[in-house]
Amino acid sequence: MSIALQRGAATEVTLELHSGQSFEQRQRQARRDLREAVRLWRLCWTLAFLDIRLRYRGSMLGPFWLTLSTGAMVAAMGVLYSELFHISLHEYLPFLTVSLVLWGFISTLFSEACYSYVANDGVIRTIRIPFTLCAARTVLRNLVVLAHNIVIVAAVDLFVRTSPGLAGLLAIPGLALWIIDALAIVIILGALCARFRDIPPIVASVVQMSFFVTPVLWKPQLVTSYQWLLPVNPFYDLLEMIRGPLLGEIPSATAYAAGLGYSLLLCAAAWFLFARVRGRIAFWI
Amino acid sequence: MSAHIEVAGLNLNFPLYHASGRSLKKVVFSTVTGRMGSDAKHRIVVEALRDINFSVRAGERVGLIGPNGAGKTTLLRTLAGIYEPVDGRVTLCGRLNALLDPSLGMNYDLTGRENIMLRGLYSGLDQAAIRQLEEDVSVFAELGEFLDLPVRIYSAGMMVRLGFAMATAIRPQVLLMDEWILAGDAAFWDRALLRLEDMVRGAEILVLSSHNLYVVADWCTRVLWLEQGRVREDGPTEQVLEHYLGHPLRPQQEAKQPVGAAR
């Protein structure tokens, strides 16, 4: 006969749901959602890893296909654009590599964020699962991909015999901020895209446009008269926080201030939206 | 604290987002032209549950009966915390296991073993307990080597066996069951019934939605008869079933003990 898998008596779960909640109560529910997601962190990791493994199941190189394709792109574009911009390859290649790897994370995150709830509709309608867990899964999955691509940055550094030095350590707080912002973006876009199904194409075109107006392929120094406008672009500020250190430069105080300011706004927006609509998401997907 | 369920003044509407209702353009333009109010009023909703009040104490086994679309599954999902009430209050105390859907949120691209692991992690089990769960499920579901193959290639029967084995391996205090769990082929059914009865006996509260009135009569001490999202009648099993059918379920009493009554 079947075995009984009893959890300890201390884990008794109480569910209390009611309507007409004040914003304070909604926030409490949202915090609880977050707490439950943290409690289930092992599930979250496993889901993210299985996502990657599933995507590359049966392929020989697995996720390193991504590394390879990014590497090929960096090599081809590096040669062409250093010629176009009249910059030495030695100087341009590390910049382009870091930029493309980081932008790859941003653009995939935005497009996958749109489906972070919708793609989990089966689970969400079957068991009560914290929504922030679905969001964290999307972020973690993309972090795993980013970790694979970072290999190229190291390879290029070896190739052109350069190293970021101690300034590289500043990339760590930058990355921490990115993770928080990424979670906020997924929480916002996941909910909006569940409600309004025409948002994903809008997001895709905004990200595409940002790719060209943000210094990803071109160096920020190339802008001369409108240099002051660069920090207005949140993508620039956030990009600088990791890219600068990885290239051995310390980002400017303006970039830090603007990046932190934008992140604060983003997180506040995510929190208010999440507290407001969390209970409705199950009806939308 | 013993398990209990408390439902008061519960209303639940389902918004119907048809093609145009989901469009951002519609909402933006109706806001711009000041038609937002009327748009909100004209949003089509299905009134899935209306003014539901009941409470369940530990030891009670509740059957939900009613025609299709009466709101049985929606009520179960609300109790499971999946749908949050538009109006009213739902309180539930106790470790919960909700068997609402045969797929149980399985990912069909993953192997059976991986799905079992995910289920274990969701329930907060540690490594040792997950191995135990895996062992238990694989023995019961008799999947053999299929356990390491993607669920996608399973036959329908294997899929039900896996879902059932997983669903019944974790013992809750409060058990919510939709009737899919009562479906299965005859050979499997005898073993399944034993296991299910074992689990039902272990739970402090059972809420079962079913069209199979014999199962309801055998297992439940109390029946909620739902009709068009409202509670039509709430009372002892025999009485409600008799009103529901218009005649007693079993004219000559066979005096069969309900599963849970032994406690």
Side-chain angles (χ1 to χ4, degrees):
Chain A
M1 204 57 245
S2 72
I3 41 155
L5 288 162
Q6 289 280 9
R7 278 190 285 160
T11 56
E12 183 163 301
V13 179
T14 306
L15 193 69
E16 177 141 25
L17 302 168
H18 58 90
S19 61
Q21 294 182 337
S22 68
F23 192 71
E24 180 44 45
Q25 285 167 316
R26 285 173 195 271
Q27 279 188 308
R28 204 176 308 143
Q29 294 274 3
R31 276 198 294 275
R32 185 179 165 150
D33 189 286
L34 212 58
R35 262 204 315 279
E36 280 171 18
V38 171
R39 194 172 54 80
L40 292 171
W41 65 272
R42 277 169 55 224
L43 175 64
C44 195
W45 258 123
T46 313
L47 284 170
F49 266 107
L50 286 176
D51 280 343
I52 301 278
R53 205 197 290 171
L54 209 56
R55 205 179 286 174
Y56 296 100
R57 182 160 276 177
S59 94
M60 199 171 51
L61 286 177
F64 283 103
W65 273 118
L66 272 174
T67 318
L68 217 61
S69 73
T70 315
M73 186 152 91
V74 163
M77 287 177 81
V79 173
L80 174 66
Y81 279 78
S82 68
E83 186 67 29
L84 287 179
F85 290 141
H86 305 292
I87 309 174
S88 76
L89 190 63
H90 202 274
E91 190 190 340
Y92 183 61
L93 202 57
F95 169 83
L96 180 76
T97 311
V98 176
S99 297
L100 280 182
V101 165
L102 292 178
W103 190 266
F105 174 82
I106 293 180
S107 74
T108 335
L109 182 83
F110 269 80
S111 68
E112 288 183 1
C114 296
Y115 302 102
S116 54
Y117 298 146
V118 178
N120 285 316
D121 62 337
V123 181
I124 291 173
R125 267 201 293 256
T126 307
I127 38 182
R128 182 176 170 86
I129 191 165
F131 288 101
T132 39
L133 179 93
C134 302
R137 171 190 184 176
T138 308
V139 175
L140 276 177
R141 182 171 64 218
N142 281 291
L143 280 175
V144 173
V145 172
L146 180 66
H148 282 92
N149 280 337
I150 282 294
V151 176
I152 306 188
V153 176
V156 167
D157 276 0
L158 271 179
F159 177 66
V160 299
R161 292 196 191 80
T162 170
S163 121
L166 273 182
L169 289 178
L170 272 178
I172 295 169
L175 184 68
L177 187 69
W178 269 45
I179 293 173
I180 295 168
D181 284 353
L183 203 60
I185 286 167
V186 177
I187 284 171
I188 292 177
L189 288 181
L192 286 181
C193 296
R195 175 65 183 83
F196 301 108
R197 294 298 164 93
D198 46 3
I199 287 189
I202 299 176
V203 170
S205 61
V206 168
V207 170
Q208 173 96 43
M209 199 186 68
S210 309
F211 174 72
F212 291 107
V213 301
T214 308
V216 179
L217 292 179
W218 45 277
K219 293 195 122 191
Q221 292 83 345
L222 288 178
V223 179
T224 46
S225 47
Y226 290 102
Q227 190 74 34
W228 60 272
L229 254 179
L230 280 177
V232 175
N233 177 356
F235 287 112
Y236 167 77
D237 302 314
L238 286 164
L239 210 51
E240 271 309 291
M241 278 189 193
I242 297 188
R243 183 173 60 190
L246 286 185
L247 295 174
E249 298 155 13
I250 293 170
S252 68
T254 333
Y256 267 120
L260 282 173
Y262 277 125
S263 302
L264 220 59
L265 281 180
L266 181 71
C267 292
W271 181 254
F272 280 108
L273 182 77
F274 183 62
R276 183 87 192 76
V277 305
R278 189 194 47 80
R280 302 302 298 164
I281 297 172
F283 293 96
W284 290 344
I285 54 172
Chain B
M1 189 163 61
S2 62
H4 68 92
I5 301 176
E6 201 75 61
V7 178
L10 171 66
N11 283 319
L12 200 87
N13 292 335
F14 262 103
L16 278 193
Y17 299 110
H18 40 86
S20 70
R22 276 203 189 281
S23 167
L24 177 68
K25 190 182 89 181
K26 277 270 162 106
V27 174
V28 171
F29 281 110
S30 62
T31 314
V32 170
T33 54
R35 287 189 291 111
M36 186 66 185
S38 77
D39 188 74
K41 266 181 214 141
H42 292 156
R43 192 173 69 179
I44 303 169
V45 293
V46 175
E47 301 186 332
L49 295 174
R50 280 281 145 268
D51 194 29
I52 309 264
N53 294 288
F54 66 93
S55 66
V56 185
R57 303 274 138 227
E60 280 194 287
R61 277 129 225 303
V62 180
L64 297 178
I65 59 168
N68 286 326
K72 302 189 293 292
T73 303
T74 309
L75 181 57
L76 283 181
R77 285 202 172 134
T78 313
L79 293 180
I82 294 166
Y83 294 141
E84 302 199 352
V86 178
D87 253 325
R89 177 183 287 272
V90 173
T91 315
L92 190 145
C93 286
R95 266 175 300 106
L96 178 76
N97 191 8
L99 316 180
L100 303 180
D101 193 297
S103 76
L104 285 165
M106 272 195 268
N107 183 337
Y108 288 164
D109 291 318
L110 294 175
T111 65
R113 201 180 293 281
E114 286 164 339
N115 272 302
I116 297 170
M117 177 176 65
L118 288 181
R119 184 78 187 175
L121 286 175
Y122 174 78
S123 305
L125 303 181
D126 57 24
Q127 288 300 322
I130 287 176
R131 261 194 302 281
Q132 205 184 348
L133 175 70
E134 220 177 83
E135 178 65 28
D136 175 49
V137 169
S138 64
V139 166
F140 184 79
E142 292 180 337
L143 288 168
E145 282 156 17
F146 277 91
L147 206 58
D148 287 309
L149 293 173
V151 175
R152 184 175 295 288
I153 65 159
Y154 287 17
S155 70
M158 289 160 79
M159 207 118 56
V160 170
R161 287 211 301 275
L162 175 64
F164 183 90
M166 254 163 51
T168 47
I170 295 169
R171 305 304 186 76
Q173 284 176 296
V174 179
L175 180 61
L176 308 177
M177 292 201 302
D178 211 346
E179 62 183 344
W180 69 268
I181 200 135
L182 304 172
D185 58 273
F188 174 63
W189 185 231
D190 289 342
R191 284 192 310 136
L193 199 64
L194 273 176
R195 188 171 157 114
L196 200 56
E197 285 183 343
D198 194 41
M199 180 170 71
V200 167
R201 214 174 286 121
E204 287 177 35
I205 290 180
L206 166 75
V207 181
L208 165 74
S209 147
S210 180
H211 285 291
N212 186 336
L213 301 182
Y214 289 97
V215 172
V216 172
D218 281 351
W219 285 5
C220 299
T221 56
R222 172 181 168 189
V223 170
L224 277 182
W225 172 8
L226 292 180
E227 207 172 71
Q228 294 184 346
R230 290 173 190 278
V231 178
R232 170 86 180 263
E233 195 177 343
D234 175 5
T237 307
E238 258 166 57
Q239 176 198 319
V240 181
L241 286 183
E242 190 175 334
H243 293 163
Y244 180 68
L245 288 167
H247 59 82
L249 181 65
R250 294 189 180 93
Q252 355 28 13
Q253 267 304 328
E254 294 158 44
K256 215 172 168 184
Q257 279 283 45
V259 175
R263 296 175 81 236

